[in-house]
Structure formats: structure tokens, C-alpha cells
Amino acid sequence: MEIMITISIRPYTLRKAGLVGLILFCLSCLSAFAQSNYITVKSTPYDRQMTRIRPILTSGTGHKDQNLSIGLVNNWIGNLRSIPYGFSTEWKTPDEVRVGAYADCKGKAVALYNTMHSRGVDNVRLVIGKRSWTSRKTHAWLEWTTANGTYILDPTINWSAFRAERAGRSSYIPLYAYAGSQKFRAAPSGGLLASNSVYAGQHVASRL
């Protein structure tokens, strides 16, 4: 005598499994995508308001410091992080940040850029982008490329540098970048990120 056993698979179980699978796939995509590439451009929406600090960005680097370490960079970040935050309509120069009572993200980022350039660091970019996908305003920070990888330097929010891959794809989303006299637009790769350029176009005209 054969006994037939019927196994019923409930629809909600399949939906649940499908949802879990989709979430895992999205998370794997977020971690797998490389950091954004940059395309060289002739101009950006921020060029006019950055006139005051353009000489700082385009100045040559100083003598390369052979003893430059992540610890020293973190010390510079910490010093700027300790300056109280205060919004400025203009991009402050490093001297204005140093003697002023407060500074905002763009002033602190430019001051750190200047300090690193003066110590011979030429593989650092000033970045304008989004702190997170939900941010309604743009933010400024630095990206520093080293033999050990790329670091994010944000003296407005963080006390130390951290590896760029830790940011994933949900924070520190670049829109534009500057290195010396060069200007760049971020060009994310991957279909999931294709909306970044559209998202950026809605906000880049606003002042930092």
C-alpha cells in the first residue's frame, strides 16, 4: 500500500523567500559596486561661487613629507572638527577658517586640502556631493587616494579618516570633485546607480 504525502507550499512563504532574496541581492550590489569614477569636465555648477578659493585649489604642492601618516592626517582632521560649525555664504579661505570663530563643511574641507597640499600630497580631491541619499543639501569633504586604498576625510562630521568602501553606496555620494586645476563630475557605474545623475541634477545648483 502506497501512502501519498502532499506538501502544501503556502503563497506567503514564497513571497517571503522572494523578498529576502531581493534584499540580499541589493545588499550584495551595494557592497560590490566600486567607488564612483570621475569624468573630467570644463566647468561645474559651483565654479562661480568657488572663485575665492580657486587659487588655493590650483596652487602647487609643497615638498613631499616622507613622514606623512594617517595619524598625522587624523590630527589635522581633529583640529578642524573641533572648530564649531557655522554656515557661511562664501567659501572661506584656510586663513579665515584658522582665525575665525566657526566654519562650515566647505571651509573645513578647503583648509584640510590646503594643509595636505602644503605637505606634498597631490592625490587628494575636494568633493561636493551628498552626505546621504536623503540629504536635502550638498556637503563637502575630501577623498585621499593612497597605496592602501582611498580614504574619506570629513573634518566637519568625523574625527578621523576612514576607508571609502565603508561608506557603501548610501553615504558620501560624490557629484563633483576638484584636484588642482582639474574639475570632475562623478560617473557612477551600474544600473542601480544610474539615477544618481538625475538625482544630482535636481540639487547641484543650490549653494553649499
Side-chain angles (χ1 to χ4, degrees):
M1 178 179 179
E2 295 182 356
I3 300 175
M4 302 291 292
I5 300 177
T6 302
I7 301 176
S8 175
I9 300 177
R10 298 181 179 179
Y12 77 86
T13 303
L14 290 176
R15 288 197 298 267
K16 185 183 293 183
L19 179 60
V20 172
L22 179 61
I23 292 173
L24 292 175
F25 172 76
C26 291
L27 290 175
S28 66
C29 287
L30 291 177
S31 60
F33 280 128
Q35 290 298 309
S36 297
N37 296 317
Y38 288 97
I39 299 174
T40 302
V41 294
K42 293 182 178 180
S43 63
T44 80
Y46 292 95
D47 289 350
R48 180 174 297 180
Q49 60 175 283
M50 294 177 69
T51 301
R52 298 185 78 242
I53 53 95
R54 185 168 295 118
I56 296 163
L57 297 178
T58 58
S59 63
T61 56
H63 179 70
K64 191 171 184 62
D65 188 347
Q66 300 298 327
N67 297 316
L68 185 66
S69 65
I70 191 69
L72 180 57
V73 172
N74 285 340
N75 184 58
W76 296 335
I77 292 174
N79 290 339
L80 288 167
R81 176 63 178 80
S82 64
I83 298 175
Y85 178 86
F87 177 75
S88 172
T89 56
E90 294 183 320
W91 286 72
K92 289 187 175 182
T93 66
D95 287 340
E96 290 171 334
V97 171
R98 179 172 53 83
V99 301
Y102 62 87
D104 59 12
C105 64
K106 53 187 183 287
K108 293 184 179 187
V110 170
L112 182 58
Y113 180 99
N114 184 65
T115 298
M116 297 185 72
H117 249 218
S118 68
R119 301 295 284 267
V121 177
D122 56 5
N123 49 352
V124 63
R125 293 183 292 267
L126 171 67
V127 182
I128 295 174
K130 293 285 184 177
R131 175 65 180 79
S132 69
W133 284 114
T134 57
S135 299
R136 300 186 64 181
K137 296 182 179 180
T138 47
H139 185 55
W141 67 90
L142 301 185
E143 286 182 2
W144 178 32
T145 301
T146 72
N148 297 320
T150 298
Y151 290 86
I152 289 178
L153 318 178
D154 184 356
T156 304
I157 296 176
N158 304 317
W159 291 92
S160 60
F162 66 91
R163 295 287 290 268
E165 56 264 29
R166 281 181 49 197
R169 304 306 310 184
S170 60
S171 61
Y172 290 100
I173 304 128
L175 299 177
Y176 295 95
Y178 305 82
S181 60
Q182 293 183 298
K183 304 171 185 178
F184 306 93
R185 177 174 60 83
S189 59
L192 186 63
L193 301 176
S195 61
N196 190 22
S197 59
V198 176
Y199 183 81
Q202 299 173 350
H203 297 273
V204 292
S206 61
R207 294 179 66 89
L208 271 170

